[in-house]
Coordinates of all heavy atoms in Angstrom, one line a residue:
D114 N 251.7 70.4 134.6 CA 250.4 70.9 134.9 C 249.5 70.8 133.7 O 248.3 70.4 133.8 CB 250.5 72.3 135.4 CG 251.1 72.5 136.8 OD1 251.2 71.4 137.5 OD2 251.4 73.6 137.2
L115 N 250.0 71.2 132.5 CA 249.2 71.1 131.3 C 248.8 69.7 131.0 O 247.6 69.4 130.6 CB 250.0 71.7 130.1 CG 249.3 71.8 128.8 CD1 248.0 72.6 128.8 CD2 250.2 72.3 127.7
R116 N 249.7 68.8 131.1 CA 249.5 67.4 130.9 C 248.4 66.8 131.9 O 247.5 66.1 131.5 CB 250.7 66.6 130.9 CG 250.5 65.1 130.5 CD 251.8 64.4 130.2 NE 251.6 63.2 129.6 CZ 251.3 63.0 128.3 NH1 251.3 64.0 127.5 NH2 251.1 61.8 127.8
N117 N 248.6 67.2 133.1 CA 247.7 66.7 134.2 C 246.3 67.2 133.9 O 245.3 66.5 134.1 CB 248.1 67.1 135.6 CG 249.3 66.3 136.0 OD1 249.6 65.2 135.5 ND2 250.1 66.9 137.0
E118 N 246.2 68.5 133.5 CA 244.9 69.1 133.2 C 244.2 68.4 132.0 O 243.0 68.1 132.0 CB 245.1 70.6 132.9 CG 243.8 71.3 132.6 CD 244.0 72.8 132.4 OE1 244.8 73.4 133.1 OE2 243.4 73.3 131.4
S119 N 245.0 68.1 131.0 CA 244.5 67.4 129.8 C 244.0 66.0 130.2 O 243.0 65.5 129.7 CB 245.5 67.3 128.7 OG 245.9 68.6 128.3
E120 N 244.8 65.3 131.0 CA 244.5 63.9 131.4 C 243.2 63.9 132.2 O 242.3 63.0 132.1 CB 245.6 63.2 132.1 CG 246.8 62.9 131.2 CD 248.0 62.3 132.0 OE1 247.9 62.2 133.3 OE2 248.9 62.0 131.3
K121 N 243.0 64.9 133.1 CA 241.8 65.0 133.9 C 240.6 65.2 133.0 O 239.6 64.6 133.2 CB 242.0 66.1 135.0 CG 240.7 66.2 135.9 CD 240.8 67.4 136.8 CE 239.6 67.5 137.7 NZ 238.3 67.2 137.1
Y122 N 240.8 66.1 132.1 CA 239.7 66.4 131.1 C 239.2 65.1 130.4 O 238.1 64.8 130.3 CB 240.1 67.5 130.2 CG 239.1 67.8 129.1 CD1 237.9 68.4 129.3 CD2 239.4 67.3 127.8 CE1 237.0 68.7 128.3 CE2 238.4 67.5 126.8 CZ 237.3 68.2 127.0 OH 236.3 68.4 126.0
L123 N 240.2 64.4 129.9 CA 239.9 63.2 129.2 C 239.3 62.1 130.1 O 238.3 61.4 129.7 CB 241.2 62.6 128.5 CG 241.7 63.3 127.3 CD1 243.0 62.8 126.9 CD2 240.7 63.3 126.2
G124 N 239.7 62.0 131.3 CA 239.1 61.1 132.3 C 237.7 61.5 132.6 O 236.8 60.6 132.7
D125 N 237.4 62.8 132.7 CA 236.0 63.3 133.0 C 235.1 62.9 131.8 O 234.0 62.5 132.0 CB 236.0 64.8 133.3 CG 236.6 65.1 134.6 OD1 236.8 64.2 135.4 OD2 236.9 66.3 134.8
L126 N 235.7 63.1 130.6 CA 234.9 62.7 129.4 C 234.5 61.2 129.4 O 233.4 60.8 129.1 CB 235.7 63.0 128.1 CG 235.7 64.5 127.7 CD1 236.6 64.7 126.4 CD2 234.3 65.0 127.4
A127 N 235.5 60.4 129.8 CA 235.3 58.9 129.8 C 234.2 58.6 130.9 O 233.4 57.7 130.6 CB 236.6 58.2 130.1
K128 N 234.3 59.2 132.0 CA 233.3 58.9 133.1 C 231.9 59.3 132.6 O 230.9 58.6 133.1 CB 233.7 59.7 134.3 CG 234.9 59.2 135.1 CD 235.2 60.1 136.3 CE 236.5 59.7 136.9 NZ 236.9 60.7 137.9
A129 N 231.7 60.3 131.8 CA 230.4 60.7 131.4 C 229.9 59.8 130.2 O 228.8 59.9 129.8 CB 230.4 62.2 131.0
S130 N 230.8 59.0 129.6 CA 230.5 58.2 128.5 C 229.6 57.0 128.8 O 229.9 56.3 129.7 CB 231.8 57.7 127.8 OG 231.5 56.7 126.9
V131 N 228.5 56.9 128.2 CA 227.6 55.8 128.4 C 228.3 54.5 128.0 O 228.2 53.5 128.7 CB 226.3 55.9 127.5 CG1 225.5 54.6 127.6 CG2 225.5 57.1 128.0
F132 N 229.1 54.5 127.0 CA 229.9 53.3 126.6 C 230.8 52.9 127.7 O 230.8 51.7 128.1 CB 230.7 53.6 125.3 CG 231.7 52.5 125.0 CD1 231.3 51.4 124.4 CD2 233.0 52.7 125.3 CE1 232.2 50.4 124.1 CE2 233.9 51.7 125.0 CZ 233.5 50.5 124.4
W133 N 231.6 53.8 128.3 CA 232.5 53.4 129.3 C 231.9 53.0 130.6 O 232.3 52.1 131.3 CB 233.6 54.5 129.5 CG 234.6 54.5 128.4 CD1 234.8 55.5 127.5 CD2 235.5 53.5 128.1 NE1 235.8 55.1 126.7 CE2 236.3 53.9 127.0 CE3 235.8 52.3 128.7 CZ2 237.2 53.1 126.4 CZ3 236.8 51.5 128.1 CH2 237.5 51.9 127.0
R134 N 230.8 53.7 130.9 CA 230.0 53.3 132.1 C 229.5 51.9 132.0 O 229.7 51.1 132.9 CB 228.8 54.2 132.4 CG 229.2 55.5 133.0 CD 228.0 56.4 133.3 NE 227.0 55.7 134.0 CZ 225.7 56.0 134.0 NH1 225.4 57.1 133.3 NH2 224.8 55.3 134.6
R135 N 228.9 51.5 130.8 CA 228.5 50.2 130.6 C 229.6 49.2 130.6 O 229.5 48.1 131.2 CB 227.7 50.1 129.3 CG 227.2 48.7 129.0 CD 226.3 48.6 127.8 NE 226.1 47.3 127.3 CZ 225.3 46.4 127.9 NH1 224.6 46.7 129.0 NH2 225.1 45.2 127.4
T136 N 230.7 49.5 130.0 CA 231.9 48.7 129.9 C 232.4 48.4 131.4 O 232.7 47.2 131.7 CB 233.0 49.3 129.1 OG1 232.5 49.5 127.8 CG2 234.2 48.4 129.0
I137 N 232.5 49.4 132.2 CA 232.9 49.2 133.6 C 232.0 48.3 134.4 O 232.3 47.4 135.1 CB 233.2 50.6 134.2 CG1 234.4 51.2 133.6 CG2 233.4 50.4 135.7 CD1 234.6 52.7 133.9
F138 N 230.7 48.7 134.3 CA 229.6 47.9 135.0 C 229.7 46.4 134.6 O 229.6 45.5 135.4 CB 228.2 48.5 134.8 CG 227.9 49.6 135.7 CD1 227.5 50.8 135.1 CD2 228.0 49.5 137.1 CE1 227.2 51.9 136.0 CE2 227.7 50.6 137.9 CZ 227.3 51.8 137.3
L139 N 229.8 46.2 133.3 CA 229.8 44.8 132.8 C 231.0 44.1 133.3 O 230.9 42.9 133.7 CB 229.8 44.8 131.2 CG 228.5 45.0 130.6 CD1 228.7 45.1 129.0 CD2 227.5 43.9 130.9
A140 N 232.2 44.7 133.3 CA 233.4 44.1 133.8 C 233.3 43.7 135.3 O 233.6 42.6 135.7 CB 234.6 45.0 133.6
V141 N 232.7 44.6 136.1 CA 232.6 44.4 137.5 C 231.6 43.3 137.7 O 231.8 42.3 138.5 CB 232.2 45.7 138.2 CG1 231.8 45.4 139.7 CG2 233.3 46.7 138.2
A142 N 230.4 43.3 137.0 CA 229.4 42.3 137.2 C 229.9 40.9 136.7 O 229.6 39.9 137.4 CB 228.1 42.7 136.4
R143 N 230.6 40.9 135.6 CA 231.1 39.6 135.1 C 232.1 39.0 136.1 O 232.0 37.8 136.4 CB 231.7 39.8 133.7 CG 232.1 38.5 133.0 CD 232.6 38.8 131.6 NE 231.5 39.0 130.7 CZ 231.3 40.2 130.0 NH1 232.2 41.1 130.1 NH2 230.2 40.3 129.3
Q144 N 232.9 39.8 136.7 CA 233.8 39.4 137.7 C 233.1 38.8 138.9 O 233.4 37.7 139.4 CB 234.7 40.5 138.2 CG 235.7 40.1 139.3 CD 236.7 39.1 138.8 OE1 237.1 39.1 137.7 NE2 237.1 38.2 139.7

């Protein structure tokens, strides 16, 4: 449970990241 909670927190941080959003959009668009 502790590990899952920590992984969810890190995942939420990545989703809010401008860098990761741009990286994901670029990868999808390039594809």
Side-chain angles (χ1 to χ4, degrees):
D114 290 346
L115 181 61
R116 184 163 192 87
N117 289 339
E118 183 179 316
S119 297
E120 288 176 358
K121 182 184 177 325
Y122 173 73
L123 287 172
D125 290 344
L126 283 177
K128 287 178 191 169
S130 164
V131 172
F132 170 79
W133 283 114
R134 280 184 47 204
R135 177 171 169 75
T136 301
I137 291 166
F138 278 126
L139 281 172
V141 169
R143 191 173 281 118
Q144 179 63 34

